Amino acid sequence: LKALLASMASGEEITVCDDEIRSRYSHLEKMTDLVAVWEVALSDGVHKIEFEHGTTSGKRVVYVDGKEEIRREWMFKLVGKETFTVGATKTKAAINIDAVSGFAYEYTLEINGKSLKQYIENRLKTTNTWILSLGGTDYRIVLEKDTMDVWCNGQKMETAGEFVEDGTETHFTVADHSCCIKAVSSGKRKEGIIHTLIVDNREIPEAVE
């Protein structure tokens, strides 16, 4: 086993094994071919997607939230597509690799078959998101309007719905705090239903992600 001898300011010498050096700096070494990073907001949280592409070896590596999901070494074809899933909901994702010119490449992310831009625009129409702090802990609450499913910090919540005079109410509890999402008609066709989160009788402003 090789070892590295390093001189200290005091004149002493320390011995650092190769294995120790590799463990300290492996995270830097493995990201040398990083070409793209995306952050995607899903109902169960905001996920980070990283993509490595070795344009000489053809290597392709996909990381989701720091975890390696796909690794392909020595790909003869430098262009193509890699498909995988993201988050607890197993949302379908794909990275497209296209040649722009010469040795330049373009990388685009698709979520559920839509470009990232289209996905974000659609998500703004189909979900509501609120971010609040309770007892010093931050919570991200997401309502999926098509199913009325409620998510909090990556967990799908147990809810109870009821009809009230001016609409519906969806009740659930977060850290022993009473929460309610009220759905009321706006009276305007374009706006549709307005959803409001009430926590401990206090209205929480909607977040924009």
Side-chain angles (χ1 to χ4, degrees):
L1 178 69
K2 292 182 181 178
L4 176 70
L5 295 176
S7 296
M8 302 290 286
S10 62
E12 297 177 358
E13 290 184 334
I14 61 167
T15 303
V16 184
C17 296
D18 279 358
D19 288 345
E20 188 178 345
I21 295 169
R22 276 196 291 268
S23 67
R24 284 186 189 178
Y25 301 105
S26 61
H27 68 290
L28 296 175
E29 181 186 328
K30 73 179 182 180
M31 300 300 272
T32 52
D33 291 320
L34 187 68
V35 293
V37 179
W38 298 274
E39 286 196 341
V40 181
L42 301 179
S43 295
D44 68 322
V46 180
H47 300 277
K48 187 177 184 179
I49 298 170
E50 298 166 291
F51 183 54
E52 285 187 65
H53 187 217
T55 52
T56 51
S57 66
K59 178 183 74 172
R60 301 178 191 176
V61 188
V62 176
Y63 298 94
V64 178
D65 297 327
K67 181 184 175 185
E68 187 178 296
E69 294 293 330
I70 295 173
R71 175 176 288 273
R72 304 190 198 282
E73 303 282 1
W74 301 105
M75 295 283 288
F76 180 73
K77 193 176 180 183
L78 292 178
V79 296
K81 177 184 279 193
E82 293 296 339
T83 58
F84 51 100
T85 60
V86 180
T89 53
K90 299 292 182 185
T91 301
K92 292 179 181 178
I95 295 172
N96 294 298
I97 309 156
D98 298 296
V100 181
S101 62
F103 292 101
Y105 295 88
E106 184 178 72
Y107 309 93
T108 53
L109 178 68
E110 291 179 359
I111 303 292
N112 280 340
K114 296 181 174 67
S115 70
L116 187 57
K117 183 184 177 187
Q118 289 174 325
Y119 171 78
I120 292 170
E121 289 173 351
N122 183 66
R123 185 171 175 77
L124 288 172
K125 297 174 186 174
T126 59
T127 64
N128 290 90
T129 302
W130 298 271
I131 295 173
L132 65 152
S133 181
L134 295 172
T137 301
D138 291 333
Y139 294 93
R140 176 180 180 268
I141 296 172
V142 178
L143 168 70
E144 295 181 351
K145 290 190 273 192
D146 53 349
T147 60
M148 291 305 289
D149 287 339
V150 177
W151 293 76
C152 179
N153 287 7
Q155 299 293 320
K156 191 173 175 180
M157 307 297 289
E158 288 189 16
T159 61
E162 65 173 325
F163 289 98
V164 293
E165 187 177 339
D166 54 353
T168 63
E169 292 183 354
T170 302
H171 298 271
F172 56 100
T173 303
V174 173
D176 295 327
H177 291 266
S178 175
C179 304
C180 170
I181 295 175
K182 291 189 175 184
V184 180
S185 174
S186 64
K188 299 176 184 177
R189 188 175 176 182
K190 283 188 177 180
E191 290 184 27
I193 305 295
I194 294 175
H195 296 86
T196 306
L197 174 64
I198 309 293
V199 178
D200 296 336
N201 297 315
R202 177 170 61 96
E203 183 175 330
I204 307 299
E206 190 175 350
V208 178
E209 294 182 315

